[in-house]
Amino acid sequence: MSDESRPTPAQASVAAVIPAAGRGVRLGPGAPKALRALNGTPMLIHAVRALAASRHVSLVIVVAPPDGAAEVKSLLDAHALPDRTDFLVVPGGESRQESVRLGLDALPPQYEIVLVHDAARPLVPVDTVDAVIEAVRDGAPAVVPALPLADTVKEVAPAAEPGAPEPVVATPERSRLRAVQTPQGFDRATLVRAHGRVTDDVTDDASMVEQLGLPVVAVPGHEEAFKVTRPLDLVLAEAVLARRRLNDGF
Ligand code: CTP
Ligand code: MG
């Protein structure tokens, strides 16, 4: 891509949208997932701090549970956050896709690069955030952090009843597969266009850009950017926090 075709990417300002409006059904009964505590601090606050830790991110938009915007605002007020970062809270929607779109609708015009980051990935290291931003600044319209898989993956014909045996249809070559994380980074106009065109419910934003026929690139993700999905993930997240605390102490 020529230098003339893009507006000064090195100075483009970066905002992060954090969808946090999900219930967390797979985590089991309780408060909305993003509001649950990890070592005493709400998961959402960990996620907000993780993104605000990047000196490139100057605005964080939190997409709160539909009836939880006031609660999220008071949580942000109650926790120490960097002064150089601005924060906005908007209520979310029924699906992740709708929540992200509501976050994008609140994005002030000056931001040219947007990160979308799951509140459910509270422990993403700042180096991963910065690597995604750098790849967008280098000209990629969409960037995903991704890791090779440990498990072999099978495609099956899903059974109608849960637990019934499922015929295996194919085994994609593992070395070509990646597990995709967040933050995913976008040229703002591209992401807005993708959200305007794609109406199927998708679980990640980059796939909407793929549906537009635009290139998406993967950069190395990080083990600690895993998504807190099931109860065991809470144990793992608290163990990571405990290890960080120990390492910080020495
Ligand atoms: N999310 C959202 N709005 C929704 C659904 C999900 O903002 N209507 C957010 C979640 O809060 C989470 C991220 O999207 O930060 C990734 O979704 P997922 O891990 O699936 O979280 P939940 O939808 O809350 O969990 P579950 O699917 O188990 O209910
Ligand atoms: Mg979900």
Side-chain angles (χ1 to χ4, degrees):
M1 203 171 284
S2 76
D3 283 351
E4 294 81 45
S5 67
R6 290 176 64 81
T8 56
Q11 289 135 43
S13 46
V14 182
V17 172
I18 301 189
R23 289 236 39 101
V25 172
R26 289 169 289 177
L27 206 52
K33 179 161 75 177
L35 304 184
R36 299 214 207 174
L38 288 179
N39 278 9
T41 302
M43 199 180 306
L44 171 65
I45 297 294
H46 288 285
V48 167
R49 284 181 175 152
L51 274 280
S54 167
R55 62 188 175 82
H56 304 289
V57 173
S58 39
L59 170 69
V60 174
I61 300 179
V62 177
V63 187
D67 54 1
E71 185 180 355
V72 166
K73 277 192 189 117
S74 42
L75 277 180
L76 293 179
D77 289 341
H79 290 85
L81 296 168
D83 286 337
R84 60 176 154 71
T85 318
D86 291 330
F87 299 94
L88 278 176
V89 179
V90 298
E94 280 302 306
S95 65
R96 183 185 182 282
Q97 191 175 339
E98 192 185 348
S99 294
V100 172
R101 191 182 51 73
L102 290 165
L104 289 176
D105 286 349
L107 189 64
Q110 67 268 31
Y111 294 93
E112 293 165 23
I113 294 176
V114 189
L115 305 181
V116 180
H117 180 63
D118 294 328
R121 298 181 190 272
L123 305 182
V124 61
V126 69
D127 288 353
T128 306
V129 178
D130 285 338
V132 170
I133 294 170
E134 193 184 336
V136 181
R137 285 191 164 159
D138 284 348
V143 178
V144 298
L147 286 179
L149 298 181
D151 294 321
T152 296
V153 172
K154 303 274 185 204
E155 182 182 350
V156 299
E161 330 148 32
E166 301 178 304
V168 169
V169 175
T171 305
E173 192 189 328
R174 190 177 66 193
S175 63
R176 293 174 58 86
L177 298 177
R178 299 288 181 270
V180 167
Q181 306 177 320
T182 73
Q184 299 188 353
F186 302 90
D187 161 61
R188 181 224 184 111
T190 301
L191 184 61
V192 168
R193 193 146 64 89
H195 271 269
R197 293 259 187 94
V198 177
T199 53
D200 317 339
D201 197 24
V202 294
T203 53
D204 96 316
D205 299 278
S207 60
M208 304 172 73
V209 173
E210 290 165 55
Q211 286 188 41
L212 292 184
L214 293 170
V216 175
V217 297
V219 298
H222 196 285
E223 264 186 334
E224 293 183 2
F226 69 94
K227 191 166 69 159
V228 174
T229 306
R230 288 172 286 264
L232 189 61
D233 299 322
L234 290 173
V235 178
L236 180 59
E238 293 200 325
V240 170
L241 285 169
R243 185 176 67 181
R244 284 185 187 176
R245 200 167 289 180
L246 260 182
N247 289 344
D248 287 350
F250 290 96

